[in-house]
Amino acid sequence: MRSDEVVGDMKKTFKYRLLGNNSTFNKADNWLRLCRELYNAALAEKIYAYSGQKANISSYSQMKELPELKVAFPEYDNVGSQVLQEVLERLDRAYKAFFRRARNGNGKVGFPRFKGRDRYDSFTLKQVGWKLGGKYLIIRNIGRFKLRLSRPIEGNIKTITIHRHSTGKWYACFNCDNVSEKRLAGLGKAIGLDVGIKSFLVDSEGNRVENPQYLRQSLRLLRVRQRALCRRNKGSVGRAEARLLVAKAYEKIRNQRSDFLHKLANHYVKNYGVICVEDLNIRGMVKNHHLARSISDAGWGLFIGLVEYKAAEAGRKLIRIPRFEPTSRVCSACGVINQDLTLNDRQWVCKACGVLHDRDFNAAKNIARVGQTLQELTYASG
Ligand SMILES: [Zn+2]
């Protein structure tokens, strides 16, 4: 099998940082404001109709009012019609989701809210009003952005969503379909991954992956900046600046972590055909109150998500095993359960066969074994 063999089609989103000059970003900012005001006005109209005749105004009938809106407020003339239509579709989705949840009696039901400046941070382009030329994205009536293309866009672009982050940086998300799936060579080799207590993970071949040191440094910086934010008076200039610094620290952690997790996921997907992990939802019930620990747990969830989609893309298998047996307590050599094992035991000797175990390594080996069995059973049952 060739390593780049195409086996099917799928959807995928490609996200890039946008670079440009101030006047271009100011225009994009202005579009965001106009979209937000339209959203709020359309929501007000829906609420008014509902309180009067208990009727819903469809997004279709609101769309028919758009030409009139452009006459009354010429500044809307600059904004693409499809962009404005998408604002109304977005509102309609939020509105319908609210009624669906209310009907189903789901605990917390949030009514669609009027959006403040910070709560409305994206607009979406559909088929027209933009052009892609090399590294440049040109949006009609806004201008030209340079894309920081970390990888090429694949497939057909269906929509482009332009985001403004709380840090002031802008991003474009290209939502594509018809993206080819690529299969890698060398299936069959299985590996088990276990969340380490101190390390990020331990695999069934005994490799230990540590949490990167720079992540810890960034966490420390975040804590310092959060404390500084707490000391500022509400509404002061200093507070706004402190909030921006906190947002920047968060963004840095997000980017660093995402980079670390992508590389790690690529490593396992490239080298193994079957990747076995414990089901997180069940493990998620273990309570903990340590910041570092919960950050690393959140990272684990992200990591499994990445492995899952990269594995699907590469024709690999991710096997989630339910926590039906205590993976740490079973001897991976002879299968006898060690009932005396405590959380503090980093190493232990099996009383039945005498093998010395590293706790995490042993657990990872059990995960690989159970995962492989599950995989074979799935194949056997068709
Ligand atoms: Zn044993």
Side-chain angles (χ1 to χ4, degrees):
M1 185 181 296
R2 268 179 46 216
S3 66
D4 57 349
E5 188 184 345
V6 173
V7 292
D9 298 328
M10 61 182 289
K11 288 181 181 153
K12 205 165 162 182
T13 299
F14 299 88
K15 182 177 176 181
Y16 307 102
R17 171 98 188 266
L18 289 175
L19 304 171
N21 58 39
N22 280 342
S23 89
T24 316
F25 284 128
N26 285 341
K27 282 183 198 157
D29 223 22
N30 196 42
W31 276 34
L32 271 187
R33 178 181 62 82
L34 292 168
C35 287
R36 176 169 62 86
E37 287 172 5
L38 173 64
Y39 184 96
N40 287 341
L43 175 58
E45 196 183 25
K46 274 185 190 279
I47 292 171
Y48 183 75
Y50 186 73
S51 64
Q53 302 123 31
K54 296 272 175 268
N56 181 25
I57 301 183
S58 71
S59 60
Y60 178 69
S61 70
Q62 289 191 317
M63 278 177 204
K64 283 196 299 193
E65 294 178 53
L66 286 175
E68 213 175 298
L69 175 88
K70 289 189 172 198
V71 174
F73 301 96
E75 45 181 348
Y76 277 95
D77 245 354
N78 274 332
V79 188
S81 293
Q82 288 187 339
V83 172
L84 297 177
Q85 286 167 8
E86 198 274 341
V87 171
L88 299 173
E89 286 166 7
R90 212 184 264 202
L91 170 65
D92 211 48
R93 278 198 300 275
Y95 208 72
K96 283 189 178 136
F98 163 74
F99 282 105
R100 193 169 51 240
R101 286 196 304 269
R103 250 197 326 274
N104 297 343
N106 285 1
K108 267 190 191 168
V109 183
F111 190 78
R113 283 199 287 178
F114 292 105
K115 305 272 191 185
R117 186 184 180 274
D118 295 337
R119 298 242 166 232
Y120 202 94
D121 56 6
S122 70
F123 60 84
T124 298
L125 303 154
K126 293 188 181 175
Q127 289 83 18
V128 299
W130 59 270
K131 214 164 59 189
L132 202 58
K135 283 182 177 172
Y136 294 95
L137 171 66
I138 299 143
I139 301 176
R140 197 197 313 157
N141 294 337
I142 289 188
R144 194 172 76 153
F145 296 99
K146 191 175 175 188
L147 296 168
R148 192 175 276 171
L149 281 174
S150 37
R151 53 178 176 155
I153 300 172
E154 299 163 39
N156 303 328
I157 300 168
K158 300 307 284 180
T159 61
I160 308 174
T161 299
I162 308 292
H163 286 273
R164 181 189 64 204
H165 276 202
S166 53
T167 51
K169 289 177 185 163
W170 291 75
Y171 295 86
C173 289
F174 294 82
N175 301 300
C176 302
D177 65 7
N178 279 323
V179 180
S180 334
E181 293 180 41
K182 293 186 183 101
R183 274 187 194 273
L184 305 171
L187 290 159
K189 214 169 151 199
I191 187 110
L193 309 179
D194 188 32
V195 215
I197 287 187
K198 282 201 175 108
S199 335
F200 180 71
L201 69 78
V202 176
D203 70 28
S204 53
E205 291 182 356
N207 302 304
R208 198 173 280 277
V209 178
E210 301 300 334
N211 282 301
Q213 189 64 37
Y214 53 73
L215 212 52
R216 206 161 304 153
Q217 285 159 4
S218 303
L219 276 172
R220 208 172 300 137
L221 181 70
L222 174 65
R223 231 166 308 171
V224 169
R225 288 182 174 180
Q226 272 171 333
R227 274 200 294 269
L229 175 63
C230 289
R231 285 196 301 267
R232 300 291 181 175
N233 293 323
K234 284 219 168 108
S236 68
V237 178
R239 190 179 170 86
E241 282 166 1
R243 192 181 299 123
L244 183 65
L245 285 178
V246 168
K248 282 190 169 160
Y250 265 117
E251 185 171 56
K252 188 169 182 190
I253 290 173
R254 252 198 319 272
N255 290 344
Q256 284 180 330
R257 188 168 62 185
S258 149
D259 192 51
F260 163 67
L261 297 177
H262 268 284
K263 282 181 183 148
L264 195 57
N266 284 340
H267 165 74
Y268 283 111
V269 169
K270 191 170 164 229
N271 293 300
Y272 300 91
V274 182
I275 299 158
C276 314
V277 296
E278 268 187 322
D279 200 317
L280 182 76
N281 293 334
I282 296 156
R283 186 184 278 274
M285 288 171 189
V286 182
K287 277 221 172 87
N288 71 77
H289 303 284
H290 298 286
L291 180 65
R293 187 68 225 160
S294 43
I295 295 271
S296 121
D297 280 356
W300 181 252
L302 284 174
F303 174 67
I304 299 307
L306 284 177
V307 172
E308 183 155 41
Y309 105 76
K310 284 173 194 285
E313 201 186 16
R316 307 283 170 157
K317 268 225 140 67
L318 173 73
I319 300 212
R320 294 168 191 269
I321 66 162
R323 251 194 143 198
F324 54 80
E325 65 174 316
T327 42
S328 311
R329 292 167 185 272
V330 180
C331 168
S332 57
C334 74
V336 168
I337 297 176
N338 176 358
Q339 296 291 2
D340 309 323
L341 191 72
T342 71
L343 256 180
N344 294 325
D345 296 330
R346 308 302 313 142
Q347 290 190 325
W348 55 280
V349 175
C350 174
K351 281 182 190 144
C353 72
V355 168
L356 169 69
H357 289 298
D358 169 272
R359 180 202 189 87
D360 298 329
F361 183 20
N362 178 60
K365 281 200 270 195
N366 285 326
I367 290 170
R369 178 177 48 79
V370 175
Q372 244 174 328
T373 312
L374 281 175
Q375 153 92 343
E376 282 153 19
L377 286 175
T378 322
Y379 272 137
S381 65

